[in-house]
């Protein structure tokens, strides 16, 4: 029974060491974490249609650019990733783990789940790596 309960905990770390958070958990953790950096790993056009407030775009589907940008990130920060549905962000999180990042969380269900929870979406500005403080 304990194993079944652990299997249903959306905030529990997956077997690959990546924390999987519901949109509400994701929002709460980001808002209470002074070292949080939110990464949107979708395509630029998807980002322009709407993204999480303050999210930084690093396109997972452009591997050269992704790797170049990720290697400039501070490994002591806490990274919260999302994409459209959760597949790309999980792959990106695994890549970051391979590169030595230790504090990574992935949003379960991506921005589609975020929108279903009626959480805020931004469309007005772009945040780049230079905006990480």
């Amino acid at each position: 029974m304990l194993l079944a309960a652990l299997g249903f905990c959306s905030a529990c770390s997956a077997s690959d060491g990546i924390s999987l958070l519901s949109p509400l958990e994701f929002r709460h953790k980001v808002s209470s974490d002074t070292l949080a950096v939110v990464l949107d790993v979708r395509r630029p056009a998807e980002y322009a249609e709407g993204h999480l407030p303050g999210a930084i775009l690093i396109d997972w589907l452009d591997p050269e650019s992704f790797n170049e940008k990720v290697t400039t990130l501070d490994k002591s920060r806490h990274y919260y990733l999302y994409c459209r549905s959760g597949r790309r962000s999980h792959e990106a999180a695994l890549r970051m783990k391979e590169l030595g990042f230790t504090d990574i969380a992935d949003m379960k269900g991506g921005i589609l789940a975020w929108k279903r929870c009626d959480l805020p979406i931004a469309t007005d500005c772009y945040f780049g790596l230079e905006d990480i403080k």
Side-chain angles (χ1 to χ4, degrees), residues 81-94:
L81 282 65
Y82 75 95
C83 63
R84 180 179 174 274
S85 65
R87 184 185 56 83
R88 286 178 277 179
S89 57
H90 197 76
E91 291 172 1
L94 290 172

Side-chain angles (χ1 to χ4, degrees), residues 21-34 36 80 107 114 119:
L21 306 173
S22 73
L24 294 173
E25 292 167 325
F26 190 94
R27 182 180 189 198
H28 174 73
K29 290 224 180 223
V30 167
S31 67
S32 63
D33 184 349
T34 60
Y80 296 84
M107 183 169 39
W114 181 272
L119 295 169

